[in-house]
Structures are given as structure tokens and as C-alpha cells.
Amino acid sequence: MIKQPLKYIKIFATGGTFDKEFNEINGELYFKETNLFKLLELGRSKIDVKIETLMMIDSLKMTDRERLYILEKCKKEKTNQIIITHGTDTMVNTAKVVANEIKDKIIIFTGAMIPIKFGSSDGLFNLGSALSFSQVLDPGVYITMNGKYFHWDNVQKNKKLGIFEKIN
Amino acid sequence: MIKQPLKYIKIFATGGTFDKEFNEINGELYFKETNLFKLLELGRSKIDVKIETLMMIDSLKMTDRERLYILEKCKKEKTNQIIITHGTDTMVNTAKVVANEIKDKIIIFTGAMIPIKFGSSDGLFNLGSALSFSQVLDPGVYITMNGKYFHWDNVQKNKKLGIFEKIN
Amino acid sequence: MIKQPLKYIKIFATGGTFDKEFNEINGELYFKETNLFKLLELGRSKIDVKIETLMMIDSLKMTDRERLYILEKCKKEKTNQIIITHGTDTMVNTAKVVANEIKDKIIIFTGAMIPIKFGSSDGLFNLGSALSFSQVLDPGVYITMNGKYFHWDNVQKNKKLGIFEKIN
Amino acid sequence: MIKQPLKYIKIFATGGTFDKEFNEINGELYFKETNLFKLLELGRSKIDVKIETLMMIDSLKMTDRERLYILEKCKKEKTNQIIITHGTDTMVNTAKVVANEIKDKIIIFTGAMIPIKFGSSDGLFNLGSALSFSQVLDPGVYITMNGKYFHWDNVQKNKKLGIFEKIN
């Protein structure tokens, strides 16, 4: 295991189911602000983490413009441990854009199948998982879901089952 | 990073705050059964996991007898990835007993500061963290709490703050 | 206070925010089945209650057809204490249809601003409230929300604030 | 039904399971402060309510001294609608002390079998119930639990089942 120089872990929030909330005025799901701060407090996390919200959108509405912005932010980021919370539908697409240009950082995409604000969310589990993998994996771009980590180029979302799985 | 031959991960439940429940008849905290199954379902975990309850006790009530039983179970266990849920107060003591005899397995102790059944529990976060570390760390005995992993011989519980921290 | 002959309380579920769930496959809100059984268990309710699901729809999609069906079911119901869980947007409209024809029963409409399955739902509070009012109010058609009861012909939903209030 | 002059409803918090919290430093249940404000917010209650904490104790530790203090506070209270959150074990005893001296107010005792801070608490349901009954019952001293109201002199806690029931 190659020990990474532990400085801090950067978390970029981009939206997705993870941060969806229920708007009680119109009865629709919407984005307010990231729930990451609350989750880290809930997990009693003592990891040195910096959180930055890049956008708050559905990953199905993400275009090249947003992906290039995420890439740009990852490039400029000084720490080499980055977690990106992202909608699961196009998580792999964004991972590809990032992986094509960045080779020397640990970049982990994670998200949730159920919004944090629901009682039955998987978000806290996934965040604990992503934070842990970000401390010990080799540089590369990964997806962390369902308790596992996947290399960005060997994973797909099984949309029928709602889980991530290896391609080969 | 040394890749472990992924078979399955064994989780031994021993009790601790993690699995404490509220007895509505007498108003006291007690143990019923482990909440690990529900947590893995909540996390949508697709890891191959086998759960076994060894005991359901407060770690302050744990004696050498229980620690030797845990050690014995770890020795006999065929997989080399083991997670042990354990009360936080004497987690380090049990880790020491196990570490003195087992060198070739990844054994991770974890627990919770707040019971799973409370709304504000850190258990789901810690479980996501422990499962992740168990897949990538080198053989050894570790404690996983607060989003971090610690080698068993360089960690202590700070009882004032309720967190785990390095000794040196 | 006129004491009603306590037989049982009938609850008709019709859908609304109260019973909305999150579909983790497509990320949309949908109806599965009513959460009333679980809520009554959670409340440790010992009231003699019979639950019947009449429909599971958004109240904005409710037409005269559904309202007449609800009216019909209320007419045929043998007990004189009826609670109807209903979307808040057109709750008053349905109450009017029922009130125009039924004078001798206590009929209480209630619902929720936040789905039961969200951590921050008002559904359990409203159900406790509706069940209580149904045991002591005089015959009539009422709306129970925000801890209050309103006569059907003197209440409106304030859609900006998301609360129910008297007209006069 | 006698309509009470609606001014405000006073809620006296005295402790009990309702307000028990989990102390993550020593692993024991304790009292911090009442959760009533949060519960009323959760229920989107628009009732005019004033909350006052009289004490934060287990009802099994309550003595005549505390009961007389509660009685005194009820006597001096200007509104005639009072709710008292109280441990369930001796709720009936305190109700008797209050009922012996106060005849012209609606005084409702309620509580919870499971602390508010647990995911599975009945507290929100009971509060919705107590608030509702307090608006419509005749003057008297009552206990509201399990969705029902009971006159103070015809109710007992069934300690085996953990429910309240009529004596006759």
C-alpha cells in the first residue's frame, strides 16, 4: 500500500439524489444546499475535509459544460484526495472526462440511491466508504457505491437493479 | 497496494453501543439482536458478507474469557478479512489480544458512539468505513472510527471528547 | 361534549404527500402502499381502527369521479367516525363534496406537507391529531392540520406558507 | 361540546422517557433539554403554545415535592388548557395530586414509551393527540396515551404491555 501524504480531503458537491430535498410548498424534489456538513457531523468524522459546492443539479441534466468545470476544479485542487458527490445516472460519464486528463490524484465519485433527507438513505454509508477509500487507494479515478470501489473504466450502473457492477 | 484475494468479509458482532436498543417496558438500554443486517440493506451493500453474533455485551463488562473467545473465532475464520463490532470503551484492549496472535489477516474493530436505533447514530458511517478499509488495508489489526483507521498499537479513545486519536 | 358511541374509527387512504415514496430506480416520487399501519404501530395506538385504501393519487389529479367514490364509501360506512388521508391541495374540495351529502358522521380530512418516509414528516403528528379529534368532535366535516381542526366551510390552504387557516 | 375560550395552550415539561437522550460520552440515558420545540416545528403546529420546563427527571424519582410544584404551577397558570409531559410510570399519581385541587382547567398528561430522539418514538403522535384533546375536552384531568384519552381516576398503566388502559 502506498501511503498518500495526508493533507486534507476535498469534497466537491454537484447534486444528484444525494442532496435532493422535498419542497413542501409544491410537493416536488429540489436542491437546497448540500447535506455533507451534517453527514460528517453525524459520522463524528475527524478527517480534515474541505467541502465546496460546484453545482446542485440532476446528473441527467449535466452537459459537457458542467463536466469540464468539474474537471477544471479537480485539476486546480491542491490536495491529491478528492471525493465528488454526483447523481448516479451519469456518474461514469463524468468520471471518464476526469480520468482522461488527471492521472496523479485519487478521485472518487459517490452518491446515493435515496436522498439523505429520507429515513432510508444510503448516503451516510457511501460517504463513510468514499472517505475511507480516498485515504488508501492508489491514484486513479474510482466509483464507490454499494460498499465497493470500481475503476472508472470497468463499472456500469445496472439501472434495473439500481446498483453498480463491474463490466468484466 | 496489495490486493487481497476477495472471498467474503466476516463480521463478528459483540455488542457495544452500536447494538443497544431502548426497552420500552423498563426504560433501560439493552441488547436484542444485531442491527448489522438492516444496516447493510440500508447501505445497499453488495459486498459478500457473513455476519455472526459472538455475544451481545457492553465492552466494559468484557473479561478475558470473552476476549479469548473472540480471538479463537478470528483464528478459525477462513476468510482473511474480518470486521468486529465492539463497544468503544475497551475496543483497544480486545484488539491487543487479537493482534498478539494473528498476523496474517486484516482485522478491523469498529463501533458507534450512538446506538443504531437512535436517529443520530454514527453506526452506518462507521460500517461503510470499516467495510471499505477491510478491502484494501494490509494484514494487521486496526480500529476504524471517526472516518479514520488506526493501527491497534497507536490509538486510544479520548474519553472526554468521545473520539479515537493516535497516541504518537 | 356529546360522547359518540365508540365502535371503531375507519380510515380511508387516498394518497397525497402523506403516502409518497421515493423510487430509487428512476428517482421520482410515487405511491406504493399506505404507511398508515406503520404509523399506528409507531404511535402505539390502541384505538380500534380499520384502514382501507380507496386510491393512491395526487390530490391535484383527483376528479369528480374520485370524489364521488370517496363520498359513496363514506355513505356506506357503518361507523360514524371517519378519517380520510388526502393530498392537501384539494382537500377542501373533497371535503365540500362529502359535506354536502353527509350530516350525521364525524368526517376528518388530514394529510401531510412532507411524506411519511422523510425524516422530517408531519404525518405522525397529524394522524395523532385526527384520531383524537375524531373521538370528540360533533358530527360534521373537518380538516385537521397544523394541530388544529377547521370546519370544512371555513378553511383554506395558504399555498405560500404551506399551512391551513380560517377564511374568516 | 363546550367551546373553550382559545387563548394559548401551556405545556409544562417535566422529563420522562419523552425527553431522554443518549449521552455518547458515558453511554447512559440522560436529560439535556426538552424536545418539545422541535416536535412542534416538525408537526408544523400553528397552535399558540407556551412551553415551560419545570424539571427534567425520571417519573420514578419524582417525590411529593415535585408533584406539589407541578400543582402550584398549574394553579397559577392563566390559561385553562395545560399539557404536562411526564414519565409514564407515575403519571397517574401526579394527575391525582393535580385533580384533587384543580377543577376548572383542562389538564392533560402525556409522555412517550420511546424517547423522541429514537427513530421509533411515539412522542410526536402523543403530542399531536394531547394538543388536539386539550382544545375540545371538558375541564378535568386526563391522561392521553395510545391515541386515547382517559379520565385520571379511571386509568392505569399496564406495565407488562406498556400501554394505558381503563380500570373499569
Side-chain angles (χ1 to χ4, degrees), chain A residues 136-167:
Chain A
V136 287
L137 289 179
D138 291 327
V141 177
Y142 306 89
I143 280 172
T144 287
M145 289 289 290
N146 306 120
K148 298 179 178 180
Y149 73 96
F150 303 92
H151 291 276
W152 71 273
D153 55 357
N154 190 20
V155 61
Q156 63 191 0
K157 183 178 172 186
N158 181 323
K159 297 201 178 190
K160 276 196 187 159
L161 300 178
I163 60 168
F164 282 76
E165 57 192 17
K166 278 192 184 175
I167 295 170

Side-chain angles (χ1 to χ4, degrees), chain D residues 142-160:
Chain D
Y142 305 89
I143 280 172
T144 287
M145 290 289 289
N146 306 120
K148 299 179 178 179
Y149 73 95
F150 302 93
H151 291 277
W152 72 272
D153 55 356
N154 190 21
V155 61
Q156 63 191 358
K157 183 178 172 186
N158 180 324
K159 297 201 177 188
K160 275 194 185 161

